[in-house]
């Protein structure tokens, strides 16, 4: 068994949903391990650099989906309208939580 991993998320972030439940923007999956899409950023471990906190909605979102050219400066403007739908499909966004990571808030002594 590996040692627990510490990830940092906003206190107001929603609790991680059960495996298979609808995504609620908790950010656990993106903070714990790289997704296949984050490899476009040469991201290999730890929290995704495109994980963005949206305070007004009290949830995390993927910056690669909401602002792809900010992260992928090589992406041609003509490809931007196609990128988000393809990325959503590639990552199965909307298909339910696929992270089996267990997330517990840290207790303070």
């Amino acid at each position: 068994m590996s040692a627990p991993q510490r990830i940092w998320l906003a206190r107001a972030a929603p609790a991680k949903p059960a495996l298979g439940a609808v995504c609620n923007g908790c950010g656990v999956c993106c903070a714990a391990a790289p997704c296949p899409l984050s490899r476009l950023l040469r991201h290999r471990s730890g929290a995704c650099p495109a994980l963005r906190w949206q305070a007004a909605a009290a949830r995390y979102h993927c910056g690669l989906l909401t602002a792809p050219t900010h992260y992928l400066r090589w992406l041609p403007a003509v490809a931007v309208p196609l990128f988000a739908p393809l990325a959503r499909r590639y990552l199965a966004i909307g298909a339910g939580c696929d992270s089996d990571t267990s997330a517990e808030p840290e207790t303070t002594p």
Side-chain angles (χ1 to χ4, degrees):
M1 180 180 230
S2 62
Q5 176 186 10
R6 178 176 284 165
I7 60 174
W8 300 98
L9 297 170
R11 288 192 186 274
K16 184 190 170 300
L19 191 64
V22 175
C23 175
N24 64 3
C26 72
V28 171
C29 58
C30 300
C35 74
L37 193 59
S38 71
R39 302 249 181 220
L40 293 172
L41 302 173
R42 301 189 193 291
H43 176 232
R44 300 290 182 257
S45 65
C48 180
L51 179 62
R52 295 291 169 234
W53 174 245
Q54 192 174 27
R59 64 174 289 142
Y60 283 93
H61 67 269
C62 176
L64 286 170
L65 297 176
T66 60
T69 56
H70 177 78
Y71 298 97
L72 306 172
R73 299 194 190 277
W74 51 263
L75 187 66
V78 68
V80 171
L82 302 173
F83 183 79
L86 290 173
R88 286 180 183 283
R89 183 172 180 196
Y90 180 64
L91 296 176
I93 293 175
C97 178
D98 65 354
S99 175
D100 60 0
T101 301
S102 173
E104 302 296 328
E106 188 171 76
T107 56
T108 54

